[in-house]
Amino acid sequence: MLGPRQEAQAALFYKFSLDNHVPQDHLLRSIDRFVDLRSVRAHLADFYSHTGRPSVDPELLIRMLLVGYCFGIRSERRLCEEVHLNLAYRWFCRLDLTDRTPDHSTFSKNRHGRFRESELLRHLFEMTVARCIEEGLASGQRMAVDASLIEADANKQNSTPKEKWDATSVDPVDAPRAVREYLDTLDCAAFGAASEVQLKFTSHSDPASQWTAARKGPAFFSYSDNYLIDTDHGVILDVEGTRSIRQAEVGSTQTMLIRVKDKFDLVPGWMIADTAYGSGPMLGWLVDRKIDPYIPVIDKSGRPDGTWTRTDFEWDAENNQYICPEGHALKQFRRNYSDPNRGPTGKGTARYRALKEVCQVCPSKQKCCPNADARKITREEHEDARQVARDLAKTEEYQIAMKLRKKVEMLFAHLKRILGLGRLRLRGPCGANDEFLLAATAQNLRKLAKILPAPQQTCKAL
């Protein structure tokens, strides 16, 4: 039979517990065990006034931001609505049913002010890294590095070609925040000083972003999100935002390795990366610090005509010379020069030559230098380190390293597909770094929750 209409009548009193309404296997229960924000107040103490109205609890703001980045809620206005409606979010943020959620504008005020001035977000990220190390998820023995392009909040319609852009004409007083940050980073190795090449287009809203077509598709403005991870469980040890250019991405590797060593005293035995990091200076920097570079070497010594390449010649380090397959020596100098200008060029390369009279009568001249009187070989400054990387590439450990390198690529896939960070919402270098740090913090917390979930409580029989 058709039932009568039920009218809900509000009760005068409720016996209600948020804790009882959050499932025991909820992700936030596992994450909450690893979120200790007791040090946040002390970290921000110097950035609050001792007079005036009480401010919004900074721990509440941080917990709300963690909820947003853990569940891909990137809009702060929507985040406030979700925390207001979702019981699990309220439980994690320590809000009762009657407590009001902060206004969305509060996040912008604190982020652009005391959060950045105090570097709170990096402090929060490093706390999660320290917890991962404490729980045994990161040993620091093998690390991998890579970068991924994240689209900036800018478009071509609001940009200027390089012929018309002049940074000196920008007035910092009337410029937006992102433009002022751009002017502050003109001498920064990760942004303005990363390359002398002038950008094809410069965005008016976010001039620090890079116009790039690295994905072999339509060009766009972007930043590079650089991850340094521990390959044991894919824990992110450090993160750095840079311009989307190889020089800046490779340079950030040194910055992150130094920072991890100073902060956590971790020095890897293996360094794993793709070919973009296989330049001579980068390999030399790693080898000098006793770090094995499991990195493909950038080698342009190949010859298209099929003649002998540099690898066909044997290097004699003791006598500072190359030995050709026919047994002849290629030397850099055959006598001592009194004029220092006739010595090494100082450009990071050295040229070794064979004797002309030897090459002219050599039976293998057509395989060696058919169009030259004598064979010449160029040796780079970090050729010893490059050779170390070539030798490691022949080992079984190298195959293992290439498989481990995929872990950092999986983290970028998770970042974009699950956490929704395919396009930035904040502008400027500081905005990009804020988003990268919060996203990496969320990924580490989710990793902790996945590997070390909260214990399940069994229901007692009545």
Side-chain angles (χ1 to χ4, degrees):
M1 60 180 291
L2 181 65
R5 180 179 178 181
Q6 300 292 330
E7 294 288 346
Q9 182 177 359
L12 293 177
F13 302 99
Y14 288 94
K15 184 180 181 181
F16 187 88
S17 173
L18 273 178
D19 187 72
N20 294 336
H21 284 75
V22 179
Q24 293 296 323
D25 58 350
H26 197 282
L27 176 63
L28 286 179
R29 280 197 180 274
S30 297
I31 289 178
D32 185 65
R33 298 165 54 238
F34 305 105
V35 177
D36 184 3
L37 301 180
R38 289 175 295 181
S39 63
V40 168
R41 292 180 176 275
H43 190 82
L44 292 174
D46 297 336
F47 297 89
Y48 281 92
S49 175
H50 299 288
T51 60
R53 296 175 58 188
S55 63
V56 178
D57 183 8
E59 180 177 347
L60 170 60
L61 297 179
I62 292 299
R63 285 184 175 273
M64 290 181 65
L65 286 173
L66 290 177
V67 168
Y69 278 83
C70 283
F71 292 93
I73 307 172
R74 313 246 344 281
S75 169
E76 290 162 358
R77 188 186 299 269
R78 178 170 167 246
L79 174 62
C80 292
E81 295 175 356
E82 292 291 336
V83 172
H84 175 71
L85 296 172
N86 193 299
L87 295 180
Y89 296 171
R90 278 184 170 272
W91 174 85
F92 181 79
C93 295
R94 305 296 190 263
L95 292 174
D96 201 357
L97 286 177
T98 58
D99 293 333
R100 296 182 60 183
T101 57
D103 188 78
H104 65 89
S105 61
T106 308
F107 291 96
S108 300
K109 185 68 175 178
N110 283 274
R111 187 197 314 112
H112 296 312
R114 52 182 66 96
F115 282 8
R116 286 185 183 172
E117 294 171 2
S118 64
E119 296 187 350
L120 176 63
L121 299 183
R122 177 159 289 279
H123 173 69
L124 177 66
F125 168 73
E126 290 176 348
M127 285 195 303
T128 63
V129 176
R131 187 59 185 269
C132 291
I133 296 174
E134 180 184 345
E135 297 292 341
L137 303 187
S139 64
Q141 295 300 313
R142 296 180 296 192
M143 298 184 189
V145 66
D146 203 354
S148 182
L149 300 181
I150 306 296
E151 188 175 355
D153 186 21
N155 56 67
K156 186 180 179 181
Q157 285 70 27
N158 189 23
S159 64
T160 297
K162 62 180 179 181
E163 297 82 7
K164 299 180 181 180
W165 176 259
D166 183 12
T168 59
S169 63
V170 180
D171 185 5
V173 178
D174 299 330
R177 180 183 292 104
V179 178
R180 295 198 300 270
E181 292 178 8
Y182 157 75
L183 296 175
D184 293 338
T185 58
L186 287 177
D187 296 329
C188 178
F191 291 98
S195 173
E196 297 180 357
V197 179
Q198 192 173 3
L199 300 180
K200 188 175 182 180
F201 293 98
T202 301
S203 170
H204 296 166
S205 58
D206 195 355
S209 60
Q210 173 84 22
W211 178 258
T212 179
R215 292 178 179 171
K216 307 301 181 183
F220 58 97
F221 289 104
S222 71
Y223 285 93
S224 283
D225 188 7
N226 300 271
Y227 275 3
L228 177 68
I229 73 164
D230 184 280
T231 61
D232 291 349
H233 293 90
V235 172
I236 304 171
L237 297 178
D238 204 355
V239 57
E240 183 78 5
T242 64
R243 279 179 62 186
S244 299
I245 189 171
R246 187 175 65 86
Q247 295 92 321
E249 295 171 358
V250 174
S252 69
T253 304
Q254 301 179 11
T255 302
M256 292 188 290
L257 283 171
I258 292 174
R259 193 156 50 203
V260 167
K261 181 181 184 301
D262 295 340
K263 186 66 179 180
F264 306 108
D265 195 25
L266 295 180
V267 179
W270 291 19
M271 189 68 231
I272 308 170
D274 58 22
T275 312
Y277 299 82
S279 62
M282 183 69 220
L283 296 174
W285 190 88
L286 293 172
V287 173
D288 290 344
R289 285 156 180 78
K290 311 300 182 184
I291 302 174
D292 293 338
Y294 288 88
I295 305 172
V297 180
I298 299 176
D299 194 351
K300 299 181 180 180
S301 62
R303 311 187 82 181
D305 57 0
T307 56
W308 288 338
T309 65
R310 182 170 53 194
T311 57
D312 295 317
F313 291 73
E314 181 182 355
W315 170 244
D316 183 5
E318 182 178 354
N319 298 312
N320 189 27
Q321 64 182 9
Y322 277 99
I323 305 298
C324 77
E326 292 290 343
H328 305 300
L330 287 76
K331 297 184 177 181
Q332 184 180 10
F333 305 110
R334 296 187 181 275
R335 62 185 177 90
N336 296 325
Y337 292 101
S338 59
D339 184 2
N341 293 329
R342 301 191 65 181
T345 61
K347 297 181 180 180
T349 59
R351 182 170 295 179
Y352 294 80
R353 301 175 178 85
L355 292 174
K356 179 180 178 180
E357 53 268 24
V358 174
C359 288
Q360 290 296 327
V361 298
C362 180
S364 301
K365 186 176 185 306
Q366 294 302 316
K367 298 180 180 180
C368 183
C369 53
N371 300 321
D373 294 335
R375 181 60 188 264
K376 301 175 184 178
I377 292 181
T378 301
R379 182 178 178 84
E380 295 188 9
E381 178 183 4
H382 301 283
E383 190 62 29
D384 291 337
R386 287 158 58 91
Q387 188 58 45
V388 170
R390 292 192 191 98
D391 294 339
L392 290 174
K394 301 175 183 177
T395 63
E396 295 181 0
E397 289 80 2
Y398 181 82
Q399 303 302 324
I400 298 175
M402 291 300 101
K403 294 179 181 179
L404 293 175
R405 188 176 66 83
K406 295 180 180 179
K407 290 190 176 183
V408 66
E409 297 175 354
M410 294 170 61
L411 283 170
F412 285 130
H414 180 270
L415 175 72
K416 296 178 181 180
R417 296 191 178 187
I418 306 301
L419 303 188
L421 193 64
R423 179 184 172 94
L424 296 174
R425 294 187 65 252
L426 307 181
R427 293 173 177 172
C430 292
N433 271 305
D434 286 352
E435 292 216 60
F436 295 158
L437 283 168
L438 280 169
T441 302
Q443 287 183 290
N444 279 346
L445 288 174
R446 289 175 65 110
K447 182 75 66 175
L448 283 165
K450 179 181 178 181
I451 298 177
L452 303 170
Q456 302 297 309
Q457 298 180 2
T458 57
C459 298
K460 296 182 179 180
L462 297 178

